[in-house]
């Protein structure tokens, strides 16, 4: 098998995906409890929640995995220096650095990954909205849960670092 096509998932990607999956699952359960409390819980809500959970976690995993693969494609390469001196006044001016071939490849890979992941989310949203046995509201809400989990996780990690 060619090296570019290996599917070895970095332990950090696995761990962060587990954290996101656990957090999203907790939020999905809370959302189901709210639907039950307002007496709107039925099988369409459960299916929508499950679809949203799967899509949200898959999106996060694919994003993290594509970052891992992009970093591997960089192969330790760094972009060229991004500061240039202007001839007129001697001040340094910020200009976009030329990218190495490795960095260009990694950037293209990340752009393709982003496009593919957004297409996945659009397909999930269209399915949730158009299929009668899926309640779109919990599905679409669940797609937002990874952001909440990331935010809360960052706060917890920052507090732990501040104590240390």
């Amino acid at each position: 098998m060619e090296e570019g096509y290996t599917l070895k998932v970095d332990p950090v990607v696995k761990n962060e995906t587990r954290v996101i999956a656990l957090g999203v699952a907790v939020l999905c359960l809370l959302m189901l409890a709210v639907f039950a409390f307002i007496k709107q819980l039925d099988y369409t809500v459960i299916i929508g929640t499950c679809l949203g959970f799967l899509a949200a976690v898959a999106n996060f995993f694919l994003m993290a995995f594509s970052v891992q693969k992009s970093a591997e494609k960089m192969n330790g390469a760094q972009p060229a220096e991004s500061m240039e001196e202007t001839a007129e006044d001697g001040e340094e001016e910020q200009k976009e650095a030329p990218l190495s071939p490795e960095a260009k490849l990694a950037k293209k890979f990340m752009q393709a990954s982003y496009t593919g992941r957004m297409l996945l989310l659009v397909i999930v949203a269209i399915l949730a909205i158009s299929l009668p046995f899926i309640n779109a509201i919990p599905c679409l809400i669940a797609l937002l849960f990874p952001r909440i989990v990331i935010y809360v996780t960052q706060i917890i990690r920052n507090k732990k670092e501040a104590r240390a």
Side-chain angles (χ1 to χ4, degrees):
M1 188 180 268
E2 201 175 309
E3 186 180 328
Y5 295 99
T6 59
L7 291 176
K8 187 172 190 316
V9 180
D10 190 272
V12 173
V13 171
K14 287 179 185 178
N15 185 54
E16 291 302 313
T17 302
R18 276 189 212 106
V19 169
I20 294 299
L22 179 62
V24 171
V26 168
L27 292 173
C28 283
L29 290 173
L30 286 171
M31 181 172 59
L32 289 173
V34 169
F35 272 92
F37 181 75
I38 62 173
K39 299 187 184 334
Q40 296 296 314
L41 184 63
D42 62 9
Y43 77 96
T44 65
V45 171
I46 294 170
I47 293 172
T49 301
C50 290
L51 179 61
F53 169 82
L54 292 172
V57 174
N59 181 51
F60 179 84
F61 171 77
L62 292 171
M63 182 270 308
F65 187 67
S66 67
V67 168
Q68 171 195 325
K69 286 298 177 189
S70 289
E72 290 170 3
K73 288 180 187 308
M74 288 286 290
N75 220 9
Q78 297 291 322
E81 187 63 40
S82 63
M83 300 291 276
E84 281 188 17
E85 210 169 290
T86 59
E88 291 177 17
D89 53 15
E91 290 183 20
E92 289 185 350
E93 185 179 291
Q94 190 78 18
K95 293 191 177 181
E96 191 168 321
L99 297 175
S100 67
E102 294 88 355
K104 286 180 183 177
L105 180 64
K107 183 177 178 181
K108 283 183 182 179
F109 182 79
M110 284 299 296
Q111 288 170 335
S113 168
Y114 177 80
T115 301
R117 290 183 301 104
M118 291 306 107
L119 183 60
L120 169 74
L121 295 179
V122 166
I123 290 169
V124 167
I126 289 170
L127 287 174
I129 292 167
S130 61
L131 294 176
F133 57 89
I134 300 174
N135 188 320
I137 293 170
C139 180
L140 298 175
I141 291 172
L143 295 178
L144 302 173
F145 288 164
R147 288 186 181 269
I148 296 168
V149 174
I150 291 167
Y151 181 72
V152 170
T153 303
Q154 286 176 336
I155 291 171
I156 292 169
R157 288 179 181 164
N158 288 341
K159 285 184 178 182
K160 284 182 182 178
E161 287 175 9
R163 288 184 201 150

